[in-house]
Amino acid sequence: ENNGIAEIACFVLPIEGSTDLVAVEAESIQVLELDMNLRAINQRSYQGPFLDGESIMFSSVSTGQIDGLTEVPGGLQLNSRLKNAAGELIIVTFSLDYTNDCNFSPILDVDVQSGPIIFTD
């Protein structure tokens, strides 16, 4: 249980009907930081290919000056186009909704993994 996270969702969609959902390559990754109304306030896209063990860097808007409630992060969403060993496309959407409980930190633990995603410091 994590009091900093209100909800976690992960959707995996094999595009070509494959039953092999083990990704070996990321074709592209889009990271969206969402406000408290779940609208994008920060966005970054990464083009692969990314192979097992490779990483991307994303910095939250909360590391800088926040000028109002519309800029307070309320969640994070990752949209990924992945491929399995046969080269078949798998779409993965992973999202976190924060509680914004000011008495709880950190939101994410280092080296926590969800599917092909590992969060690091």
Side-chain angles (χ1 to χ4, degrees):
E1 183 176 313
N2 184 329
N3 293 329
I5 297 176
E7 187 173 344
I8 298 174
C10 186
F11 302 98
V12 179
L13 179 64
I15 297 300
E16 292 146 1
S18 175
T19 56
D20 178 7
L21 301 179
V22 177
V24 297
E25 177 183 320
E27 195 174 84
S28 65
I29 302 168
Q30 178 188 46
V31 182
L32 301 169
E33 188 166 27
L34 309 172
D35 68 11
M36 293 171 51
N37 294 314
L38 303 181
R39 291 185 300 248
I41 55 174
N42 189 8
Q43 175 178 316
R44 181 128 185 235
S45 296
Y46 305 86
Q47 293 302 313
F50 300 103
L51 303 177
D52 189 21
E54 293 189 72
S55 63
I56 60 171
M57 291 276 287
F58 180 81
S59 295
S60 170
V61 296
S62 65
T63 60
Q65 176 71 29
I66 294 178
D67 294 322
L69 286 178
T70 58
E71 294 182 14
V72 173
L76 184 73
Q77 180 174 321
L78 284 84
N79 303 313
S80 305
R81 293 176 55 91
L82 310 175
K83 288 186 177 180
N84 63 18
E88 298 166 318
L89 186 61
I90 305 164
I91 302 294
V92 175
T93 298
F94 175 82
S95 65
L96 296 170
D97 295 343
Y98 308 144
T99 62
N100 285 327
D101 180 349
C102 293
N103 296 315
F104 189 80
S105 181
I107 297 274
L108 298 172
D109 293 323
V110 174
D111 296 329
V112 168
Q113 182 169 358
S114 181
I117 300 163
I118 300 173
F119 295 95
T120 61
D121 195 6

